[in-house]
Amino acid sequence: MSSSKFDIVISGAGMVGTCAALALAGKGYRVAVIEAAPRENDKLNDETYDLRVSAISPRSRHILDQLGIWQQLDSKRVCYYEQMHIWHQHGAASVAFDAVDLARDNLGAIVENRLLQQTLYRACEREVKIEWFMPDSIETLLENHAQGVELRLSSGLCLTTELLLAADGRNSPTRHLAGIDVQAGQYRQTAIVANVDTEFAHQFTAWQRFLSTGPLAFLPLANGQSSIVWSCDDDQVGQLIDATDDEFCDALAEAFEFKLGRVKSCSARMSFPLGWHHCEHWLKGRVLLIGDAAHSVHPLAGQGVNLGFSDVETLAQLIGERSETIPQKQLRRYQRQRKSETWVAGTGFGVLKWFYGLDQKWVATARNLGMRVVDETPWFKRTIMEKAIQNIT
Ligand SMILES: Cc1cc2nc3c(=O)[nH]c(=O)nc-3n(C[C@H](O)[C@H](O)[C@H](O)COP(=O)(O)OP(=O)(O)OC[C@H]3O[C@@H](n4cnc5c(N)ncnc54)[C@H](O)[C@@H]3O)c2cc1C
């Protein structure tokens, strides 16, 4: 059985895994990337935008910029948003955030996941320090101790490494193989996503209306459409998915209070059950978690992949340029730092989702008062915005 040695092995070539591969290869490490899914068809369709998009924060943009990725994105497909408007179904109060108040050009950008993913892939393929194992996956961990990990792939190959990064998503098989426990729960909600044409222009604004059944977001796309993320209770989903396009568009426009007028047409719809998870330990032996393998949060604040990019940035900074060995102390520091930051974010979004879902009259009054105070207190509003664009640190 042949065996290859790498400084770092990454399981999972999603947005976070590929970003980690690039960041660490850039520090001089020899990296292996293992991806279970076969490579996707390269071509992005000019007419149709990917249904999965992400709101990318300025901090994440900076991370991608440093790696030379942001510059390589097709700029015609990136939509910067300058304002954010949030309000609730019950009550007249709302909060409006404006990039101008932070002396910035924008508050973030909406990018198709596939565009970002492909750009990261291509950059990894050009990097000589990165080797691909795809489609392949880890079958078993033969050894996992303080000096490193030895693993066998489904293809039969054996790899040894000083550090194994689990970047294989929320159900992370690598986390499972390493025996790392996870605390997880369901929101009993499903997010429906689609791209829609609206009567009025999106005004480069990210809109979010909180309904008692869950938040509904309209995110601006570069082609003038809006990407919607409609989080609704599980018992509501079937009806919305099975509705005809006309019925869905009408229900959507009404749920959105006709803020952008009628919804004229919609793409196919996709749905994602919503849950959260958090791990007590992110490090076991020499297996370390990053991205959704370590944490997942409600999409209402659009922070999941942003938190993952921050994981990568912190890890790369802490372990630094390649030298003799990767110090265990630095991996523990990574665990401590990122765990507390993502815990604050995850708990915060969970509480927000719960609070905005309550229907009692006194809660609605308190919520409206709170939104009014935030909206009319510039320093407070600025503080909240600064936190959001820095991925809640
Ligand atoms: C509706 C919705 C909207 C969202 N909107 C936003 C947003 O606006 N902004 C934001 O920041 N986040 C958002 N998120 C969250 C974001 O999509 C995730 O946080 C992000 O995709 C996680 O990336 P990842 O690379 O960690 O994991 P994944 O994207 O899950 O990638 C994991 C990779 O590992 C591979 N893999 C799986 N098993 C194996 C195995 N055994 N071996 C090898 N490879 C394997 C998979 O094929 C995949 O390529 C949203 C999520 C949802 C559901």
Side-chain angles (χ1 to χ4, degrees), residues 10 21 102 109 119 143 266 312 347:
I10 300 173
L102 294 177
T119 311
E143 297 273 1
C266 69
V312 172
T347 309

Side-chain angles (χ1 to χ4, degrees), residues 10-18 34-38 52-57 60 109-111 113 117 121 133 136-138 166-174 177 191-193 219 228-231 271-274 290-309 311:
I10 300 173
S11 173
M15 291 186 279
V16 177
T18 45
I34 305 164
E35 169 57 49
R52 296 218 52 191
V53 305
S54 296
I56 299 296
S57 71
S60 296
I110 307 298
V111 185
N113 286 10
Q117 180 76 76
Y121 256 141
F133 296 85
D136 214 337
S137 55
I138 302 175
D168 41 8
R170 60 196 296 183
N171 298 318
S172 175
T174 306
L177 285 174
I192 299 176
V193 301
L219 306 172
I228 64 117
V229 185
W230 191 351
S231 309
S271 62
F272 301 88
L274 297 178
I290 55 170
D292 272 21
H295 45 74
S296 66
V297 297
H298 198 287
L300 71 89
Q303 285 291 350
V305 79
N306 289 307
L307 292 171
F309 290 145
D311 294 345

